Amino acid sequence: MSSLRFRLMIIVFLALLPMAALITYNDLEQRQLSRQNSERNLLRVVQNCNSDYTHILQQTKQLLATLVEFPAIKQYDSVAASELFAKVIRQDSLYYNIMATKGDGQIFASAKPLPAHVPHNLADRLYFQRILNTKQFSQGEIVWGRALGVATLPVAYPLLDPSGGIQGVVAAGLNLKRLTHIFQIKELSSDSCFAIIDNRGRIMFRHPQPEKWIGKDFSHTEVIQKILAQKKGLAQARDIHGQERLYAFLPLGGNPEAGFVFAGITLETILTPARQALIRNLTSLGLATLLALSLAWLLGLLFVIRRMNILTRTTQKLAAGDLSARTGLNYGIGEIDQLARAFDEMATTLQKREIERQQSEEELRQSEEKYRLLVNQVPAVVYKGYLDWSLECYDDKIEKITGYSKEDFNSRRATWLDLIFPEEIQEARKRFAEARLTDRFCVNEYRIRKKSGEVCWIQVRNQIIKDPANQKDYISGVFFDITDRKLLEDQLLQAQKMEAVGLLAGGIAHDFNNLLSAIMGNSEIMVLDLKKDDPLYPCALEIMKATEQGASLTNKLLAFSRKQILQPRLIDFNDIVTDMDKMLRRLIGEDIDLVTHCGDKLDLVKADPGQVEQILMNLAVNARDAMPYGGKLTIETANVHLDESYAQSHAEVSPGPYVMLAVTDNGAGMEPERLQHIFEPFFTTKDQGKGTGLGLAMVYGIVKQSGGHIWVYSELGRGTTFKVYFPRAEEGLVAAAPRPAGKPLQTRTGGETILLVEDDKALKGVIAKGLQKYGYLVWQAANGYEALAISKREKGPIHLLLTDVVMPQMGGRELAERLRQLRPEIKVLYMSGYTTNAVVHHGVLDAGLNFIQKPVKIHSLIQKVQEVLEDEGPS
């Protein structure tokens, strides 16, 4: 134990101890980090799914609230109500059944027939008894439907008589299996589970295999007991199979009585990455320890035991005349060390060059071997390129990518010019030249043509190696086959575009416009208050720019699906078709050929260009859906004259000159029976869930409102043609020019009094601040009743009512009518976040009144306010 070799081994072992401690500490940190990440992921999943579930209940509540308003429900019309319910569940498979009862619970209408052997009364159901007490929307517990014999989640909405009593109840049974399609659970691993339970521990929904678990009671299990006791948060418990899992859970909608949503992942899955990393680290440490101990043992042998033996053998070789003999010992002050020094110095001169040569050859051989192993392991082709576009390759992977063998390139039978497309050679030279002027490194992506003629994509990474004269000598580079990545990028881009359009078109609503208005208004006020040299001034401008872009996108998407107040002007159909060409091509897809035939010297029509675009888009979408495997879509415009004979066969048509817009497809076509109903609301030829049946009804309404006529012809298996006729405008008129820019605003030092009515607190504040900045006296009200109270209280003049259209308690239209009874001279300016034609469609606001669309800029609002106040005519 006192030998030098043993001491060296002890030192090496002690040196490796901190590394072992570091590996252990790192493993503990990795385990903790993995658990924290899993906790965050689980909480995010249950929060998202809780939000989706709450949205489903809110959607159902709105549906039931709408249904109770139908006359058939209020009048106990069993046939009409049952047909209405049946139509609803055909359009939305979220519901197993919808029923309506009288005040005593007796069912008088059902979307699906009720078997004679089951009770036709819901008075014994918990949710029915709860609704009698609360007179509000009620969610029940999981029940087995009497009519269908399946587990459902019942919800109900009261039908109140004028006195506030229960006149009846409309109830719906949620299809719990459909939750699988609503909750898109993609963030957890394959062995994770997700479930929704009621407040007694029964399964309302479980992923995976919802049909296996729905309705079962697991209140006795450890995890369910912890959830019912703890209400929300995280817990570690055994699942029904006895496997240890980490769970995150929340009460549905924040109400424990409604049930809980939870997700769980096994501890084995959480800790597996950390365990694997620990095994790798400990294996590496073990190998390093073994190597270090072996070296220590070897060095001890070399410096102690073998020292004397080496000296003896070296002396014998020297006596025999072997000048290549060396002691290899470190020189000290002892006699043996001095003797070794004299021996080595004598032989060194003779052997030095030979030793250096041998060492150089060995180092070169080792270096080449390492490089060759590295090249074979890299999933890329390593090459050396030259100015004449030739290259040398170091492995055989190039044949797999290009089809040419390594020998083809090394022998110059194939060069880069055989691979790169001719039109991309100039770009390659340009990037090469730019790289020479910078860091001599460049990355390019090319299409290449393989030896077989097949085209693929590669990514090339080149490093230019220069000689001392700063002239390029050769290129050291690698290239990869990125064809699959390119294909995936294209597919992903297309999927993201389609998904973004669908999400945005369906998600924009009144509150989002209010939010944009508040952000836009505050940013404008910041710009007005800040000096241009203020560091926050550019930030405020960027906020304004971003909100303007958001508002523009919102209005465009809403215009695709809803009407607006008609703003007719003289337009040319050819301009509309030309402007929409690119958008229509993206909309219908690449597998449908779009052909346009625009008539020469087309007459003008007086119509709303946005509505004409809506017509064209709806017809194009219907044509696309009729050609699921591709086809041809033709759009035509022409001047036509509908004569007396045509008018006689079409009662709604007046003879005369028209401008025609025709859309033709060669898709599936329709039977004559379906053609009779295509313009009826909710009628659709598409599969369930793929269409609302309102598209052609909307087209019909726009055409009729504009004084036009629409005609359709279809043959089964041949295709369909829609022809839209708009009356020709008077001759001699020209298309309307764009509206001139508004007058520049002048900051007022004092002005009129404005009564501002807005239910959104943040938006109301920013609008008031903007009006006050331009000198207006502003009275603020959160609803119509507050506004009427202010009007009665204030004796001074109120020049303008600026009000939201849709508000709780009292709408803007009703407020204006009641306020005019008190102040006949007051002017009115309406604003709303809904598209204006949707407001008109629901009878909230008559077309032609003063109106401004949210989100609204303060500058635009001030212009509109001044315009209304300066208008001498009635408001």
Side-chain angles (χ1 to χ4, degrees):
M1 295 180 61
S2 60
S3 66
L4 180 59
R5 285 183 299 171
F6 181 78
R7 293 177 181 178
L8 286 175
M9 293 171 62
I10 293 297
I11 293 174
V12 170
F13 183 77
L14 292 176
L16 292 175
L17 284 180
M19 186 179 299
L22 181 61
I23 291 175
T24 303
Y25 176 76
N26 183 66
D27 175 63
L28 294 176
E29 277 198 337
Q30 287 297 323
R31 288 171 177 264
Q32 184 177 5
L33 181 61
S34 297
R35 186 182 180 99
Q36 291 174 352
N37 289 337
S38 298
E39 290 175 351
R40 286 194 293 268
N41 289 338
L42 289 171
L43 285 173
R44 183 170 63 254
V45 168
V46 297
Q47 289 168 355
N48 291 341
C49 293
N50 182 37
S51 176
D52 288 345
Y53 181 83
T54 303
H55 175 73
I56 292 170
L57 289 184
Q58 186 64 27
Q59 173 186 339
T60 303
K61 178 181 178 181
Q62 293 174 356
L63 171 63
L64 297 182
T66 302
L67 292 176
V68 299
E69 296 300 325
F70 277 79
I73 310 301
K74 294 182 177 180
Q75 297 170 6
Y76 299 152
D77 188 338
S78 176
V79 175
S82 297
E83 291 178 353
L84 174 63
F85 294 161
K87 180 180 291 186
V88 172
I89 66 173
R90 284 197 301 269
Q91 294 178 357
D92 193 342
S93 60
L94 180 61
Y95 310 104
Y96 267 127
N97 195 12
I98 300 177
M99 299 180 292
T101 74
K102 299 179 181 180
D104 59 358
Q106 187 66 27
I107 300 172
F108 69 86
S110 173
K112 295 183 178 180
L114 298 177
H117 64 276
V118 301
H120 290 196
N121 194 293
L122 301 180
D124 61 329
R125 292 302 198 186
L126 178 62
Y127 63 90
F128 185 86
Q129 297 171 3
R130 185 183 297 134
I131 207 169
L132 292 179
N133 296 327
T134 64
K135 298 181 180 181
Q136 294 179 352
F137 175 77
S138 173
Q139 171 191 342
E141 300 177 346
I142 295 177
V143 298
W144 286 92
R146 292 168 174 167
L148 304 176
V150 295
T152 65
L153 178 65
V155 291
Y157 196 91
L159 170 62
L160 303 179
D161 59 24
S163 64
I166 298 294
Q167 180 181 348
V169 172
V170 177
L174 293 183
N175 182 356
L176 298 178
K177 296 180 182 179
R178 274 278 290 127
L179 297 179
T180 303
H181 305 286
I182 296 174
F183 300 135
Q184 298 298 321
I185 306 169
K186 302 176 180 177
E187 303 181 38
L188 300 179
S189 61
S190 58
D191 63 343
S192 302
C193 68
F194 165 82
I196 298 176
I197 62 173
D198 62 13
N199 60 2
R200 294 193 296 177
R202 293 186 300 171
I203 301 296
M204 299 167 61
F205 167 76
R206 188 183 188 274
H207 175 83
Q209 298 179 321
E211 64 281 350
K212 179 179 178 181
W213 303 98
I214 290 176
K216 293 187 177 180
D217 187 353
F218 287 96
S219 59
H220 61 281
T221 61
E222 179 184 3
V223 59
I224 300 301
Q225 290 176 355
K226 285 190 176 182
I227 292 174
L228 295 178
Q230 191 175 336
K231 306 302 183 186
K232 67 176 181 179
L234 297 162
Q236 182 176 324
R238 295 185 180 275
D239 61 14
I240 58 177
H241 302 296
Q243 195 171 19
E244 198 75 21
R245 289 178 180 266
L246 177 65
Y247 292 93
F249 47 90
L250 289 173
L252 289 173
N255 180 16
E257 292 300 321
F260 300 87
V261 56
F262 69 90
I265 185 172
T266 63
L267 293 182
E268 179 68 21
T269 301
I270 296 174
L271 299 179
T272 293
R275 186 179 299 111
Q276 292 174 347
L278 176 63
I279 293 174
R280 290 194 300 269
N281 292 336
L282 290 178
T283 301
S284 301
L285 179 62
L287 293 176
T289 302
L290 180 61
L291 179 61
L293 292 176
S294 299
L295 289 175
W297 181 270
L298 181 61
L299 291 175
L301 177 64
L302 178 64
F303 286 102
V304 180
I305 298 176
R306 296 181 59 189
R307 190 175 182 85
M308 294 304 299
N309 295 334
I310 290 174
L311 285 174
T312 302
R313 289 194 299 269
T314 304
T315 302
Q316 293 172 352
K317 291 180 181 180
L318 180 62
D322 184 9
L323 300 179
S324 63
R326 297 292 186 274
T327 63
L329 300 176
N330 291 327
Y331 304 132
I333 59 176
E335 290 79 0
I336 297 177
D337 294 333
Q338 294 297 324
L339 179 61
R341 177 192 296 270
F343 175 85
D344 290 341
E345 289 178 352
M346 178 182 63
T348 294
T349 303
L350 299 176
Q351 300 296 323
K352 184 176 181 180
R353 291 184 180 179
E354 181 65 16
I355 293 174
E356 290 177 349
R357 185 184 64 81
Q358 293 177 356
Q359 289 177 344
S360 297
E361 289 179 351
E362 180 62 18
E363 291 173 355
L364 180 60
R365 187 191 64 79
Q366 293 178 358
S367 177
E368 290 177 348
E369 181 64 20
K370 291 179 181 179
Y371 187 78
R372 183 163 51 254
L373 292 175
L374 177 63
V375 168
N376 289 333
Q377 293 297 323
V378 173
V381 174
V382 182
Y383 69 94
K384 183 177 182 180
Y386 300 95
L387 292 178
D388 59 355
W389 298 88
S390 63
L391 64 154
E392 295 177 359
C393 300
Y394 296 101
D395 58 60
D396 296 323
K397 290 193 294 293
I398 192 168
E399 185 171 2
K400 180 179 179 182
I401 296 179
T402 67
Y404 295 95
S405 66
K406 180 175 68 174
E407 289 72 21
D408 288 337
F409 289 99
N410 293 344
S411 63
R412 304 300 193 269
R413 290 194 300 269
T415 67
W416 271 117
L417 297 178
D418 296 307
L419 302 177
I420 303 179
F421 279 62
E423 59 269 25
E424 296 184 357
I425 292 178
Q426 190 61 34
E427 179 67 19
R429 287 174 173 165
K430 177 182 177 182
R431 294 189 179 184
F432 183 84
E434 292 173 352
R436 287 192 63 205
L437 300 176
T438 55
D439 58 355
R440 301 190 299 278
F441 181 79
C442 61
V443 178
N444 302 322
E445 293 183 355
Y446 301 116
R447 292 175 303 152
I448 65 170
R449 193 180 305 278
K450 296 184 178 182
K451 188 175 183 179
S452 62
E454 181 183 355
V455 176
C456 72
W457 279 88
I458 63 170
Q459 184 185 87
V460 182
R461 295 173 176 265
N462 291 329
Q463 178 70 48
I464 304 172
I465 309 299
K466 299 182 179 180
D467 63 11
N470 202 32
Q471 297 296 322
K472 52 186 176 296
D473 185 15
Y474 65 90
I475 299 170
S476 177
V478 296
F479 67 82
F480 310 80
D481 186 345
I482 60 170
T483 305
D484 292 340
R485 193 198 76 187
K486 283 289 186 179
L487 292 176
L488 290 175
E489 287 176 350
D490 293 342
Q491 295 172 8
L492 178 60
L493 179 61
Q494 183 66 18
Q496 287 175 336
K497 287 180 181 178
M498 297 303 295
E499 181 181 1
V501 171
L503 291 175
L504 288 175
I508 297 173
H510 178 256
D511 290 340
F512 183 62
N513 277 324
N514 281 351
L515 178 62
L516 280 178
S517 296
I519 299 173
M520 185 180 295
N522 279 298
S523 61
E524 282 190 84
I525 292 173
M526 289 176 64
V527 170
L528 293 174
D529 291 343
L530 295 173
K531 295 182 180 180
K532 292 187 176 181
D533 58 351
D534 193 296
L536 296 178
Y537 188 83
C539 299
L541 290 178
E542 287 300 318
I543 296 174
M544 286 182 59
K545 181 179 178 182
T547 53
E548 289 172 0
Q549 292 174 347
S552 174
L553 180 60
T554 302
N555 291 333
K556 288 179 181 179
L557 291 175
L558 289 175
F560 286 166
S561 57
R562 300 185 182 184
K563 304 178 192 176
Q564 294 180 334
I565 292 178
L566 289 182
Q567 299 178 2
R569 58 190 182 94
L570 293 175
I571 59 173
D572 187 335
F573 275 359
N574 287 347
D575 294 339
I576 300 292
V577 174
T578 302
D579 293 341
M580 295 186 66
D581 183 83
K582 291 184 178 179
M583 182 185 66
L584 290 177
R585 292 182 188 276
R586 290 194 298 268
L587 182 66
I588 64 178
E590 298 179 352
D591 55 345
I592 296 179
D593 185 21
L594 176 61
V595 179
T596 58
H597 297 291
C598 295
D600 295 331
K601 298 180 180 180
L602 198 68
D603 293 331
L604 302 179
V605 299
K606 190 172 184 180
D608 190 326
Q611 302 301 320
V612 175
E613 292 176 353
Q614 184 70 61
I615 292 172
L616 187 55
M617 179 168 298
N618 280 346
L619 294 179
V621 168
N622 275 280
R624 177 200 65 190
D625 294 341
M627 298 181 288
Y629 303 106
K632 181 178 181 181
L633 175 62
T634 304
I635 300 177
E636 302 174 79
T637 61
N639 295 325
V640 298
H641 184 86
L642 303 181
D643 55 16
E644 290 286 348
S645 62
Y646 185 89
Q648 290 175 0
S649 60
H650 300 79
E652 70 277 15
V653 177
S654 300
Y658 287 80
V659 179
M660 180 196 71
L661 174 65
V663 178
T664 302
D665 66 73
N666 59 353
M670 292 177 285
E671 304 91 344
E673 294 78 13
R674 291 190 174 184
L675 285 178
Q676 299 176 5
H677 304 285
I678 58 173
F679 295 120
E680 296 177 2
F682 303 109
F683 180 82
T684 178
T685 61
K686 303 173 184 176
D687 295 336
Q688 184 175 357
K690 294 187 178 181
T692 63
L694 294 175
L696 292 178
M698 185 180 298
V699 170
Y700 183 86
I702 294 172
V703 173
K704 290 301 179 182
Q705 188 178 358
S706 302
H709 166 61
I710 184 168
W711 175 86
V712 58
Y713 176 79
S714 182
E715 288 186 10
L716 195 62
R718 300 291 298 275
T720 304
T721 296
F722 286 88
K723 290 187 177 181
V724 178
Y725 301 93
F726 276 71
R728 186 188 68 185
E730 297 179 8
E731 295 183 358
L733 298 177
V734 296
R739 295 182 178 179
K743 299 178 181 178
L745 285 173
Q746 301 295 330
T747 303
R748 295 173 180 261
T749 57
E752 294 85 350
T753 301
I754 297 177
L755 177 55
L756 170 62
V757 188
E758 171 59 57
D759 58 331
D760 187 283
K761 183 177 179 181
L763 179 57
K764 179 178 63 178
V766 73
I767 291 178
K769 188 182 298 183
L771 292 171
Q772 291 167 352
K773 182 168 285 291
Y774 283 91
Y776 293 103
L777 176 61
V778 181
W779 296 106
Q780 302 181 44
N783 53 62
Y785 292 105
E786 288 188 16
L788 291 174
I790 292 174
S791 176
K792 294 177 181 178
R793 184 186 68 221
E794 298 300 325
K795 303 305 179 183
I798 298 179
H799 301 89
L800 177 67
L801 170 64
L802 176 58
T803 177
D804 193 5
V805 175
V806 180
M807 295 183 296
Q809 301 181 8
M810 183 186 300
R813 178 63 180 276
E814 181 183 353
L815 171 62
E817 292 174 351
R818 295 179 62 172
L819 196 58
R820 277 205 176 97
Q821 297 176 4
L822 302 175
R823 298 174 181 267
E825 74 287 354
I826 193 169
K827 294 181 179 293
V828 181
L829 174 57
Y830 297 98
M831 57 182 177
S832 178
Y834 294 108
T835 53
T836 54
N837 211 29
V839 176
V840 172
H841 181 73
H842 290 93
V844 181
L845 178 67
D846 287 338
L849 296 183
N850 296 317
F851 183 85
I852 188 166
Q853 174 85 34
K854 294 180 184 177
V856 58
K857 295 177 63 176
I858 296 298
H859 182 277
S860 302
L861 177 62
I862 298 300
Q863 279 189 319
K864 189 66 178 181
V865 168
Q866 293 181 6
E867 175 186 334
V868 173
L869 290 173
E870 294 172 1
D871 187 4
E872 298 295 334
S875 177

